[in-house]
């Protein structure tokens, strides 16, 4: 089966750590930050993300990397979807302004770096 090319703009919301300061500077404030594995995206996630975005001008979503998610102890087969697949699905949603990831057990270092106005 031939792989389809990525739709232009689909990856625009994805941001690796090194790019974060520059990308954050272009986002309107207030910044809302949330995080999670978001392995099997469902209605509750979508509603939560929409409500979080409504609290500010930009929503920054930080995903656990696969290694970080495995350490949460949700089961040996988790996450079901790899980090890039989860990031692309998250970026395809209207709510997130920026999607990044963290490899630590908690996003505390990332929160300290970003200094969001609102933490959800």
């Amino acid at each position: 089966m031939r792989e389809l090319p990525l739709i232009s703009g689909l990856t625009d919301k994805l941001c690796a750590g090194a790019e974060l300061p520059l990308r954050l500077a272009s986002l309107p404030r207030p910044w809302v930050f949330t995080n999670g594995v978001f392995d099997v995206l469902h209605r509750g996630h979508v509603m939560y993300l929409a409500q979080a975005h409504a609290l500010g001008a930009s929503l920054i979503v930080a995903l656990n990397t696969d290694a970080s998610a495995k350490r949460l102890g949700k089961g040996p087969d988790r996450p079901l979807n790899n980090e890039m697949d989860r990031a692309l699905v998250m970026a395809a949603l209207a709510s997130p302004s920026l999607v990044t990831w963290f490899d630590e057990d908690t996003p505390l270092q990332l929160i300290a770096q970003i200094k969001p106005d609102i933490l959800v």
Side-chain angles (χ1 to χ4, degrees), residues 20-109:
L20 207 49
L22 182 61
R23 296 286 299 279
L24 287 170
S26 69
L27 292 179
R29 291 190 97 122
W31 296 339
V32 180
F33 178 96
T34 196
N35 67 279
V37 177
F38 297 105
D39 188 17
V40 180
L41 204 61
H42 55 73
R43 178 183 178 179
H45 290 135
V46 173
M47 296 297 294
Y48 166 80
L49 293 165
Q51 291 170 339
H53 184 264
L55 297 173
S58 300
L59 176 62
I60 302 156
V61 178
L63 300 175
N64 295 72
T65 61
D66 292 346
S68 175
K70 285 185 185 302
R71 290 192 302 270
L72 293 176
K74 291 186 173 195
D77 296 332
R78 298 293 295 272
L80 299 174
N81 296 293
N82 69 52
E83 60 197 51
M84 186 50 71
D85 288 349
R86 292 183 285 118
L88 283 171
V89 169
M90 185 62 64
L93 298 176
S95 300
S97 305
L98 188 74
V99 178
T100 191
W101 43 90
F102 62 97
D103 197 40
E104 297 78 23
D105 290 346
T106 72
L108 189 56
Q109 288 179 315

